[in-house]
Amino acid sequence: MKNVTIFLVAAVLLAIVGMGSLTVARLQRHMADAQEQIATLQYPEAQASLDAAESYLEYARWLPGVGDDALNDVRTRKAALLYWQGQYEAVLPAQAEPVAAVDESNADLQLVVANAAFRAGLARSKERAETLQALNEAVNGYAIVLKNDRWREDAAHNYEFVVRLRDDIAKGRRPPT
């Protein structure tokens, strides 16, 4: 009887390990599919693959060692996908300070949101004062990204570009649109 119990416990443990391995394999397949679909400009299919990967990671983030890093990566890729399609407003959170609304542990997502805020602000502005206001908000967004623990060279470049653009428009060296 003791041998049967040992075999049953071993079988249950192997089944749990097998299910975990299968779940990880499916997650990796969805991520690889999304990467391939993004590279071939198949954005709706990539969105579906990232949604499927995110559904797996909602449960996996509770496991030790997995954490929120993988989930943050998927959310960043989804936001970048919307950004590349020109859907800037869809990337922005509803708060007044969109970059500050993003979790500061996800600097990559903050950068995508800052870029989307810059593009959306320029698209909305029609007059010089509106353009300057949008550029000031973009400068603030990039400054938030730069204050994170992780250095982002592209955020520093974008910050410098927006500051120079704002100064040129304010001094009348460049048209506001």
Side-chain angles (χ1 to χ4, degrees):
M1 189 67 173
K2 195 175 195 182
N3 289 338
V4 172
T5 306
I6 291 174
F7 283 124
L8 285 175
V9 169
V12 167
L13 288 176
L14 288 174
I16 291 171
V17 169
M19 290 296 290
S21 298
L22 182 63
T23 302
V24 169
R26 288 179 179 165
L27 170 66
Q28 292 297 323
R29 185 186 68 216
H30 287 302
M31 292 299 290
D33 287 346
Q35 189 67 30
E36 178 184 341
Q37 291 156 347
I38 289 170
T40 57
L41 305 178
Q42 299 173 0
Y43 294 137
E45 293 85 359
Q47 181 72 32
S49 294
L50 289 172
D51 288 340
E54 186 176 24
S55 68
Y56 284 110
L57 288 172
E58 286 292 334
Y59 299 108
R61 69 185 173 128
W62 297 105
L63 296 175
V66 176
D68 287 330
D69 291 339
L71 187 59
N72 285 343
D73 181 44
V74 170
R75 289 180 177 159
T76 301
R77 288 177 188 228
K78 287 173 71 173
L81 189 62
L82 291 170
Y83 176 81
W84 292 332
Q85 294 177 56
Q87 299 176 11
Y88 308 124
E89 296 292 338
V91 175
L92 301 176
Q95 286 79 2
E97 285 283 331
V99 179
V102 176
D103 183 23
E104 64 186 35
S105 67
N106 195 352
D108 294 332
L109 182 58
Q110 279 187 331
L111 180 61
V112 172
V113 170
N115 289 338
F118 168 69
R119 297 286 182 178
L122 286 184
R124 284 190 304 256
S125 62
K126 303 292 183 220
E127 296 177 7
R128 180 179 165 156
E130 291 175 338
T131 302
L132 289 173
Q133 177 64 28
L135 291 174
N136 283 331
E137 291 172 3
V139 167
N140 292 337
Y142 288 123
I144 291 171
V145 175
L146 290 172
K147 289 179 185 176
N148 280 336
D149 295 338
R150 189 167 155 228
W151 174 252
R152 296 296 313 247
E153 187 173 330
D154 44 355
H157 176 271
N158 291 354
Y159 177 83
E160 183 179 354
F161 172 78
V162 173
V163 166
R164 288 183 182 193
L165 178 63
R166 181 190 63 188
D167 291 345
D168 286 348
I169 290 173
K171 293 177 182 176
R173 289 183 264 180
R174 192 179 261 193
T177 55

